[in-house]
Amino acid sequence: MIKNRTAEEVEAIFDGIMKFYIENAQMPDLVGTFIEKIGINAFRDGVFKVVDRKYFEYCATTVKYDYMKDEDHLCGFKSI
């Protein structure tokens, strides 16, 4: 899950998702169907290879949003 990201970060990650999908999916597969076929871990790995690593850096936040659970005190990806 990606939380507390800037518009630039979200756009870069979304572009990476779409690039990986377009280059690897068999049309007319929908994104969800494509993920089911290759598995979520393969999908994540593929997106990680396309998107600049700086957008997946671990980022701490001190802001608690209404949608966050108690265990969600930090945001971002812990490792890539």
Coordinates of all heavy atoms in Angstrom, one line a residue:
M1 N 0.8 -1.2 0.0 CA 0.0 0.0 0.0 C 0.9 1.2 0.0 O 1.9 1.3 0.6 CB -0.9 0.0 1.2 CG -1.8 1.2 1.3 SD -2.9 1.2 2.7 CE -4.0 -0.2 2.3
I2 N 0.5 2.2 -0.7 CA 1.2 3.5 -0.8 C 0.4 4.5 -0.1 O -0.7 4.8 -0.5 CB 1.5 3.9 -2.3 CG1 2.3 2.8 -3.0 CG2 2.2 5.2 -2.3 CD1 2.3 3.0 -4.5
K3 N 1.0 5.2 0.9 CA 0.3 6.2 1.7 C 1.1 7.4 1.8 O 2.4 7.3 1.8 CB 0.0 5.7 3.1 CG -0.9 4.5 3.2 CD -1.1 4.1 4.6 CE -1.9 2.8 4.7 NZ -2.0 2.4 6.1
N4 N 0.5 8.5 2.0 CA 1.1 9.8 2.3 C 2.2 10.1 1.3 O 3.3 10.5 1.6 CB 1.7 9.8 3.7 CG 0.7 9.4 4.7 OD1 -0.5 9.7 4.6 ND2 1.1 8.7 5.8
R5 N 1.9 10.0 0.0 CA 2.8 10.3 -1.1 C 2.4 11.6 -1.8 O 1.3 12.0 -1.8 CB 2.9 9.2 -2.1 CG 3.3 7.9 -1.5 CD 4.7 8.0 -1.1 NE 5.2 6.7 -0.6 CZ 6.5 6.4 -0.4 NH1 7.4 7.3 -0.7 NH2 6.9 5.3 0.0
T6 N 3.4 12.3 -2.4 CA 3.2 13.5 -3.1 C 2.5 13.1 -4.5 O 2.6 12.0 -4.9 CB 4.5 14.3 -3.4 OG1 5.3 13.5 -4.2 CG2 5.2 14.6 -2.1
A7 N 2.0 14.1 -5.1 CA 1.4 13.9 -6.4 C 2.4 13.4 -7.4 O 2.2 12.5 -8.2 CB 0.8 15.2 -7.0
E8 N 3.7 13.9 -7.3 CA 4.8 13.5 -8.2 C 5.1 12.0 -8.0 O 5.2 11.2 -8.9 CB 6.0 14.3 -7.9 CG 7.2 13.8 -8.7 CD 8.5 14.5 -8.3 OE1 8.5 15.3 -7.4 OE2 9.5 14.1 -8.9
E9 N 5.1 11.6 -6.7 CA 5.4 10.2 -6.4 C 4.3 9.2 -6.9 O 4.6 8.2 -7.5 CB 5.6 10.0 -4.9 CG 6.9 10.6 -4.4 CD 6.9 10.7 -2.9 OE1 5.8 10.9 -2.2 OE2 8.0 10.7 -2.3
V10 N 3.1 9.6 -6.7 CA 1.9 8.8 -7.1 C 1.9 8.7 -8.6 O 1.7 7.6 -9.2 CB 0.6 9.4 -6.6 CG1 -0.6 8.7 -7.2 CG2 0.5 9.3 -5.1
E11 N 2.2 9.8 -9.3 CA 2.2 9.8 -10.8 C 3.3 8.9 -11.3 O 3.1 8.1 -12.2 CB 2.4 11.2 -11.3 CG 2.4 11.3 -12.8 CD 2.5 12.7 -13.4 OE1 2.5 13.7 -12.6 OE2 2.6 12.8 -14.6
A12 N 4.5 8.9 -10.7 CA 5.6 8.1 -11.1 C 5.3 6.6 -10.9 O 5.6 5.8 -11.8 CB 6.9 8.5 -10.4
I13 N 4.7 6.3 -9.8 CA 4.4 4.9 -9.5 C 3.3 4.4 -10.4 O 3.3 3.3 -11.0 CB 4.0 4.7 -8.0 CG1 5.2 5.0 -7.1 CG2 3.4 3.3 -7.7 CD1 4.9 5.2 -5.7
F14 N 2.2 5.2 -10.6 CA 1.2 4.9 -11.6 C 1.7 4.7 -13.0 O 1.3 3.7 -13.7 CB 0.1 5.9 -11.6 CG -1.1 5.6 -12.5 CD1 -2.0 4.7 -12.1 CD2 -1.1 6.2 -13.7 CE1 -3.1 4.4 -13.0 CE2 -2.2 5.9 -14.6 CZ -3.1 5.0 -14.3
D15 N 2.6 5.6 -13.4 CA 3.1 5.4 -14.8 C 3.9 4.1 -14.9 O 3.9 3.4 -15.9 CB 4.1 6.6 -15.1 CG 3.3 7.9 -15.4 OD1 2.1 7.8 -15.6 OD2 4.0 9.0 -15.4
G16 N 4.6 3.8 -13.8 CA 5.4 2.5 -13.8 C 4.5 1.3 -13.9 O 4.7 0.3 -14.6
I17 N 3.4 1.3 -13.2 CA 2.4 0.3 -13.2 C 1.8 0.1 -14.6 O 1.8 -1.0 -15.1 CB 1.2 0.5 -12.2 CG1 1.8 0.4 -10.8 CG2 0.0 -0.4 -12.5 CD1 0.8 0.9 -9.7
M18 N 1.5 1.2 -15.2 CA 0.9 1.1 -16.6 C 1.9 0.7 -17.6 O 1.6 -0.1 -18.5 CB 0.3 2.5 -17.0 CG -0.9 2.9 -16.1 SD -2.2 1.5 -15.9 CE -2.6 1.3 -17.6
K19 N 3.2 1.1 -17.5 CA 4.2 0.7 -18.4 C 4.4 -0.8 -18.3 O 4.5 -1.5 -19.3 CB 5.5 1.5 -18.1 CG 6.6 1.1 -19.0 CD 7.9 1.9 -18.8 CE 8.9 1.5 -19.8 NZ 10.2 2.3 -19.6
F20 N 4.6 -1.3 -17.1 CA 4.8 -2.7 -16.9 C 3.6 -3.5 -17.5 O 3.8 -4.5 -18.2 CB 5.0 -3.1 -15.4 CG 5.2 -4.5 -15.2 CD1 6.4 -5.1 -15.6 CD2 4.2 -5.3 -14.6 CE1 6.6 -6.5 -15.4 CE2 4.4 -6.6 -14.4 CZ 5.6 -7.2 -14.8
Y21 N 2.4 -3.0 -17.2 CA 1.2 -3.7 -17.7 C 1.1 -3.7 -19.2 O 0.9 -4.7 -19.9 CB -0.1 -3.0 -17.1 CG -1.3 -3.3 -17.8 CD1 -2.0 -4.5 -17.7 CD2 -2.0 -2.4 -18.7 CE1 -3.2 -4.8 -18.3 CE2 -3.2 -2.7 -19.3 CZ -3.7 -3.9 -19.1 OH -4.9 -4.2 -19.8
I22 N 1.4 -2.6 -19.9 CA 1.3 -2.5 -21.3 C 2.3 -3.3 -22.0 O 2.1 -4.0 -23.0 CB 1.4 -1.0 -21.8 CG1 0.2 -0.2 -21.4 CG2 1.7 -0.9 -23.2 CD1 0.3 1.3 -21.4
E23 N 3.5 -3.4 -21.4 CA 4.6 -4.2 -22.0 C 4.5 -5.7 -21.8 O 5.1 -6.4 -22.5 CB 6.0 -3.7 -21.4 CG 6.3 -2.3 -21.9 CD 7.6 -1.8 -21.3 OE1 8.2 -2.5 -20.4 OE2 8.0 -0.6 -21.7
N24 N 3.7 -6.1 -20.8 CA 3.7 -7.5 -20.4 C 2.3 -8.2 -20.5 O 2.3 -9.4 -20.5 CB 4.3 -7.7 -19.0 CG 5.7 -7.3 -19.0 OD1 6.6 -8.0 -19.4 ND2 6.0 -6.1 -18.5
A25 N 1.3 -7.5 -20.5 CA -0.1 -8.1 -20.5 C -0.5 -8.6 -21.9 O 0.0 -8.0 -22.9 CB -1.1 -7.1 -19.9
Q26 N -1.3 -9.6 -21.9 CA -1.9 -10.0 -23.1 C -3.2 -9.4 -23.3 O -4.1 -9.6 -22.5 CB -2.0 -11.6 -23.1 CG -0.8 -12.3 -22.9 CD 0.2 -12.2 -24.1 OE1 -0.3 -12.3 -25.2 NE2 1.4 -11.9 -23.8
M27 N -3.3 -8.5 -24.3 CA -4.6 -7.8 -24.5 C -5.7 -8.8 -24.9 O -5.3 -9.8 -25.6 CB -4.5 -6.7 -25.6 CG -3.5 -5.6 -25.2 SD -3.9 -4.9 -23.6 CE -2.4 -4.3 -23.1
P28 N -6.9 -8.8 -24.4 CA -7.5 -7.7 -23.7 C -7.6 -7.8 -22.2 O -8.5 -7.4 -21.6 CB -8.9 -7.7 -24.3 CG -9.2 -9.2 -24.5 CD -7.8 -9.8 -24.9
D29 N -6.6 -8.4 -21.6 CA -6.6 -8.6 -20.1 C -6.7 -7.3 -19.4 O -6.0 -6.3 -19.8 CB -5.3 -9.2 -19.7 CG -5.2 -10.7 -19.9 OD1 -6.2 -11.3 -20.2 OD2 -4.1 -11.3 -19.7
L30 N -7.6 -7.2 -18.4 CA -7.6 -6.1 -17.5 C -6.5 -6.2 -16.6 O -5.9 -7.2 -16.4 CB -9.0 -6.1 -16.8 CG -10.2 -6.0 -17.7 CD1 -11.5 -6.2 -16.8 CD2 -10.3 -4.8 -18.4
V31 N -6.2 -5.1 -15.9 CA -5.1 -5.1 -15.0 C -5.2 -6.1 -13.9 O -4.3 -6.9 -13.6 CB -4.9 -3.7 -14.3 CG1 -3.8 -3.7 -13.2 CG2 -4.5 -2.6 -15.4
G32 N -6.4 -6.2 -13.3 CA -6.7 -7.2 -12.3 C -6.5 -8.7 -12.8 O -5.9 -9.5 -12.1
T33 N -6.9 -8.9 -14.0 CA -6.8 -10.3 -14.6 C -5.3 -10.6 -14.8 O -4.8 -11.7 -14.6 CB -7.5 -10.3 -16.0 OG1 -8.9 -10.0 -15.8 CG2 -7.4 -11.7 -16.6
F34 N -4.6 -9.6 -15.3 CA -3.1 -9.7 -15.5 C -2.4 -10.0 -14.2 O -1.6 -10.9 -14.1 CB -2.6 -8.4 -16.1 CG -1.1 -8.4 -16.3 CD1 -0.4 -9.3 -17.0 CD2 -0.4 -7.4 -15.6 CE1 1.0 -9.3 -17.1 CE2 1.0 -7.3 -15.7 CZ 1.7 -8.3 -16.5
I35 N -2.8 -9.3 -13.1 CA -2.2 -9.6 -11.8 C -2.5 -11.0 -11.3 O -1.6 -11.7 -10.8 CB -2.6 -8.5 -10.8 CG1 -2.0 -7.2 -11.2 CG2 -2.2 -8.9 -9.4 CD1 -2.6 -6.0 -10.4
E36 N -3.7 -11.4 -11.5 CA -4.1 -12.8 -11.2 C -3.3 -13.8 -11.9 O -2.9 -14.8 -11.3 CB -5.6 -13.0 -11.4 CG -6.5 -12.3 -10.4 CD -8.0 -12.5 -10.7 OE1 -8.3 -13.2 -11.7 OE2 -8.8 -11.9 -10.0
K37 N -3.0 -13.6 -13.2 CA -2.3 -14.5 -14.0 C -0.8 -14.7 -13.6 O -0.3 -15.8 -13.5 CB -2.3 -14.1 -15.5 CG -3.6 -14.4 -16.2 CD -3.6 -14.0 -17.6 CE -4.9 -14.4 -18.3 NZ -4.8 -14.0 -19.8
I38 N -0.2 -13.5 -13.3 CA 1.3 -13.6 -13.0 C 1.5 -13.6 -11.5 O 2.6 -14.0 -11.1 CB 2.0 -12.4 -13.6 CG1 1.7 -11.1 -13.0 CG2 1.9 -12.5 -15.1 CD1 2.6 -10.0 -13.5
G39 N 0.5 -13.3 -10.7 CA 0.7 -13.2 -9.2 C 1.1 -11.8 -8.8 O 1.9 -11.1 -9.5
I40 N 0.7 -11.5 -7.6 CA 1.0 -10.1 -7.1 C 2.5 -9.9 -6.8 O 3.0 -8.8 -7.1 CB 0.2 -9.8 -5.8 CG1 0.3 -8.4 -5.4 CG2 0.6 -10.7 -4.6 CD1 -0.4 -7.4 -6.3
N41 N 3.2 -10.9 -6.4 CA 4.6 -10.7 -6.2 C 5.4 -10.4 -7.5 O 6.3 -9.6 -7.5 CB 5.2 -11.9 -5.4 CG 4.8 -11.9 -4.0 OD1 4.5 -10.9 -3.4 ND2 4.6 -13.1 -3.5
A42 N 5.1 -11.2 -8.5 CA 5.7 -10.9 -9.8 C 5.3 -9.5 -10.4 O 6.1 -8.8 -11.0 CB 5.3 -12.0 -10.8
F43 N 4.1 -9.1 -10.1 CA 3.6 -7.8 -10.6 C 4.4 -6.7 -9.8 O 4.9 -5.8 -10.5 CB 2.1 -7.7 -10.3 CG 1.6 -6.3 -10.8 CD1 1.4 -6.1 -12.1 CD2 1.3 -5.3 -9.8 CE1 0.8 -4.9 -12.5 CE2 0.8 -4.1 -10.3 CZ 0.5 -3.9 -11.6
R44 N 4.5 -6.9 -8.5 CA 5.3 -5.9 -7.7 C 6.7 -5.8 -8.2 O 7.3 -4.7 -8.4 CB 5.2 -6.2 -6.2 CG 3.9 -5.9 -5.6 CD 4.0 -6.3 -4.1 NE 2.7 -6.0 -3.5 CZ 2.2 -6.7 -2.5 NH1 2.9 -7.7 -2.0 NH2 1.0 -6.4 -2.0
D45 N 7.3 -7.0 -8.4 CA 8.7 -7.0 -8.8 C 8.9 -6.3 -10.1 O 9.9 -5.6 -10.3 CB 9.2 -8.5 -8.9 CG 9.4 -9.2 -7.5 OD1 9.4 -8.4 -6.5 OD2 9.5 -10.4 -7.5
G46 N 8.0 -6.6 -11.0 CA 8.0 -5.9 -12.4 C 7.9 -4.4 -12.3 O 8.6 -3.7 -12.9
V47 N 7.0 -4.0 -11.4 CA 6.8 -2.5 -11.3 C 8.0 -1.9 -10.6 O 8.5 -0.8 -11.0 CB 5.5 -2.2 -10.5 CG1 5.4 -0.7 -10.1 CG2 4.3 -2.6 -11.2
F48 N 8.6 -2.6 -9.6 CA 9.8 -2.1 -8.9 C 11.0 -1.9 -9.9 O 11.8 -1.0 -9.8 CB 10.3 -3.0 -7.8 CG 9.4 -3.0 -6.6 CD1 9.4 -4.0 -5.7 CD2 8.5 -1.9 -6.4 CE1 8.6 -4.0 -4.6 CE2 7.7 -1.9 -5.2 CZ 7.7 -3.0 -4.3
K49 N 11.0 -2.7 -10.9 CA 12.1 -2.6 -11.9 C 11.9 -1.5 -12.9 O 12.9 -0.9 -13.4 CB 12.2 -3.9 -12.7 CG 12.7 -5.1 -11.9 CD 12.7 -6.4 -12.7 CE 13.2 -7.5 -11.8 NZ 13.0 -8.8 -12.5
V50 N 10.7 -1.0 -13.1 CA 10.3 0.0 -14.0 C 10.4 1.4 -13.3 O 10.8 2.4 -13.9 CB 8.9 -0.2 -14.6 CG1 8.5 1.0 -15.4 CG2 8.9 -1.5 -15.4
V51 N 10.0 1.5 -12.1 CA 9.9 2.8 -11.4 C 11.2 3.1 -10.7 O 11.9 2.2 -10.1 CB 8.8 2.8 -10.3 CG1 8.7 4.0 -9.6 CG2 7.5 2.5 -11.0
D52 N 11.6 4.4 -10.7 CA 12.8 4.8 -10.0 C 12.7 4.5 -8.6 O 11.7 4.7 -7.9 CB 13.0 6.3 -10.2 CG 14.3 6.9 -9.7 OD1 14.8 6.4 -8.7 OD2 14.8 7.9 -10.3
R53 N 13.8 3.9 -8.0 CA 13.8 3.4 -6.7 C 13.5 4.4 -5.6 O 12.9 4.2 -4.5 CB 15.1 2.7 -6.3 CG 15.3 1.4 -7.2 CD 16.7 0.8 -6.9 NE 16.7 0.0 -5.7 CZ 16.2 -1.2 -5.6 NH1 15.6 -1.8 -6.7 NH2 16.3 -1.9 -4.5
K54 N 13.8 5.7 -5.9 CA 13.6 6.8 -4.9 C 12.1 6.9 -4.6 O 11.8 7.4 -3.5 CB 14.1 8.1 -5.4 CG 13.3 8.7 -6.5 CD 13.9 10.1 -7.0 CE 13.0 10.7 -8.0 NZ 13.6 12.0 -8.5
Y55 N 11.2 6.4 -5.4 CA 9.8 6.6 -5.1 C 9.3 5.5 -4.2 O 8.1 5.5 -3.7 CB 8.9 6.5 -6.4 CG 9.2 7.8 -7.3 CD1 9.9 7.7 -8.5 CD2 8.8 9.0 -6.8 CE1 10.1 8.8 -9.2 CE2 9.1 10.2 -7.6 CZ 9.7 10.0 -8.8 OH 10.0 11.2 -9.5
F56 N 10.1 4.5 -3.9 CA 9.7 3.4 -3.0 C 10.5 3.4 -1.7 O 10.5 2.5 -1.0 CB 9.9 2.0 -3.7 CG 9.0 1.8 -4.8 CD1 9.4 1.8 -6.1 CD2 7.6 1.6 -4.6 CE1 8.5 1.6 -7.2 CE2 6.7 1.4 -5.6 CZ 7.2 1.4 -6.9
E57 N 11.2 4.5 -1.5 CA 12.0 4.6 -0.2 C 11.0 4.6 1.0 O 9.9 5.2 0.9 CB 12.9 5.8 -0.3 CG 14.0 5.8 -1.2 CD 14.8 7.0 -1.3 OE1 14.5 8.0 -0.7 OE2 15.8 7.0 -2.1
Y58 N 11.5 4.1 2.0 CA 10.8 4.1 3.3 C 10.6 5.5 3.8 O 11.6 6.2 3.9 CB 11.5 3.2 4.3 CG 10.7 2.9 5.5 CD1 9.6 2.2 5.5 CD2 11.2 3.4 6.7 CE1 8.9 1.9 6.7 CE2 10.5 3.2 7.9 CZ 9.3 2.4 7.9 OH 8.7 2.1 9.0
C59 N 9.5 5.9 4.1 CA 9.3 7.3 4.7 C 8.4 7.2 5.9 O 7.4 6.6 5.9 CB 8.7 8.2 3.6 SG 7.0 7.8 3.2
A60 N 8.9 7.8 7.0 CA 8.2 7.9 8.2 C 7.3 9.1 8.2 O 7.6 10.1 7.6 CB 9.2 8.0 9.4
T61 N 6.2 9.0 8.9 CA 5.3 10.1 9.1 C 4.8 10.2 10.5 O 4.7 9.2 11.2 CB 4.1 10.0 8.1 OG1 3.3 11.1 8.3 CG2 3.2 8.8 8.4
T62 N 4.6 11.4 11.0 CA 4.1 11.6 12.3 C 2.6 12.0 12.3 O 2.0 12.2 13.3 CB 4.9 12.7 13.1 OG1 4.8 13.9 12.3 CG2 6.3 12.3 13.3
V63 N 2.1 12.0 11.1 CA 0.7 12.4 10.9 C -0.2 11.1 10.9 O 0.1 10.1 10.3 CB 0.5 13.1 9.5 CG1 -1.0 13.4 9.3 CG2 1.4 14.3 9.4
K64 N -1.2 11.2 11.7 CA -2.2 10.1 11.9 C -3.5 10.5 11.1 O -4.1 11.4 11.5 CB -2.5 9.8 13.3 CG -3.5 8.7 13.5 CD -2.8 7.4 13.7 CE -3.8 6.3 14.2 NZ -3.6 5.1 13.7
Y65 N -3.7 9.8 10.0 CA -4.9 10.1 9.3 C -6.1 9.2 9.8 O -5.9 8.1 10.3 CB -4.7 9.8 7.8 CG -3.7 10.8 7.2 CD1 -2.3 10.4 7.2 CD2 -4.1 12.0 6.8 CE1 -1.4 11.3 6.6 CE2 -3.1 12.9 6.3 CZ -1.8 12.6 6.2 OH -0.9 13.5 5.7
D66 N -7.3 9.6 9.5 CA -8.5 8.9 10.0 C -8.6 7.5 9.5 O -9.0 6.6 10.2 CB -9.8 9.6 9.5 CG -10.0 10.9 10.2 OD1 -9.4 11.1 11.3 OD2 -10.7 11.8 9.7
Y67 N -8.1 7.2 8.2 CA -8.2 5.9 7.7 C -7.1 4.9 8.2 O -7.2 3.7 7.9 CB -8.1 6.0 6.1 CG -6.8 6.5 5.6 CD1 -5.7 5.6 5.5 CD2 -6.6 7.8 5.3 CE1 -4.4 6.1 5.0 CE2 -5.4 8.3 4.8 CZ -4.3 7.4 4.7 OH -3.1 7.9 4.2
M68 N -6.1 5.4 8.9 CA -5.0 4.6 9.4 C -5.4 3.8 10.6 O -6.1 4.2 11.4 CB -3.8 5.5 9.7 CG -3.2 6.2 8.5 SD -1.9 7.4 8.9 CE -0.5 6.3 8.8
K69 N -4.8 2.6 10.6 CA -4.9 1.7 11.8 C -3.8 2.0 12.7 O -2.8 2.6 12.4 CB -4.9 0.3 11.3 CG -6.0 -0.1 10.4 CD -5.8 -1.5 9.9 CE -6.8 -1.8 8.7 NZ -6.4 -2.9 7.9
D70 N -3.9 1.5 13.9 CA -2.8 1.7 14.9 C -1.4 1.2 14.4 O -0.4 1.9 14.7 CB -3.1 1.0 16.2 CG -4.2 1.7 17.0 OD1 -4.5 2.9 16.7 OD2 -4.9 1.0 17.8
E71 N -1.4 0.1 13.7 CA -0.1 -0.4 13.2 C 0.4 0.4 12.0 O 1.5 0.1 11.5 CB -0.2 -1.9 12.9 CG -1.2 -2.3 11.8 CD -2.6 -2.5 12.2 OE1 -3.0 -2.2 13.4 OE2 -3.3 -3.2 11.5
D72 N -0.3 1.3 11.5 CA 0.0 2.1 10.3 C 0.8 3.4 10.6 O 0.6 4.4 10.0 CB -1.2 2.5 9.5 CG -1.8 1.3 8.8 OD1 -1.1 0.3 8.6 OD2 -3.0 1.4 8.4
H73 N 1.6 3.4 11.7 CA 2.2 4.6 12.1 C 3.4 5.0 11.1 O 3.8 6.2 11.2 CB 2.8 4.5 13.5 CG 3.8 3.5 13.7 ND1 3.5 2.2 13.8 CD2 5.1 3.6 13.8 CE1 4.6 1.5 14.0 NE2 5.6 2.3 14.0
L74 N 3.8 4.1 10.3 CA 4.8 4.4 9.3 C 4.2 4.1 7.9 O 3.4 3.3 7.7 CB 6.1 3.6 9.5 CG 6.8 3.9 10.8 CD1 7.9 2.9 11.0 CD2 7.3 5.3 10.9
C75 N 4.8 4.8 6.9 CA 4.2 4.6 5.6 C 5.4 4.3 4.6 O 6.5 4.4 4.9 CB 3.5 5.9 5.0 SG 4.7 7.2 4.7
G76 N 5.0 3.8 3.4 CA 6.0 3.5 2.4 C 6.4 2.0 2.4 O 5.8 1.2 3.1
F77 N 7.3 1.7 1.6 CA 7.8 0.3 1.5 C 9.0 0.2 2.4 O 9.9 1.0 2.4 CB 8.2 0.0 0.1 CG 7.0 -0.1 -0.8 CD1 6.6 1.0 -1.5 CD2 6.3 -1.3 -0.9 CE1 5.5 0.9 -2.3 CE2 5.2 -1.4 -1.7 CZ 4.8 -0.3 -2.4
K78 N 9.1 -0.9 3.2 CA 10.2 -1.1 4.1 C 11.5 -1.5 3.3 O 12.6 -1.2 3.7 CB 9.9 -2.1 5.2 CG 8.9 -1.6 6.2 CD 8.6 -2.6 7.3 CE 7.6 -2.0 8.2 NZ 7.2 -2.9 9.3
S79 N 11.3 -2.3 2.3 CA 12.5 -2.7 1.5 C 12.0 -3.0 0.1 O 10.9 -3.3 -0.2 CB 13.0 -4.0 2.1 OG 12.1 -5.1 2.1
I80 N 13.0 -3.0 -0.8 CA 12.7 -3.3 -2.2 C 13.8 -4.2 -2.7 O 14.8 -4.4 -2.1 CB 12.7 -2.0 -3.0 CG1 13.8 -1.1 -2.8 CG2 11.4 -1.3 -2.8 CD1 13.9 0.1 -3.6

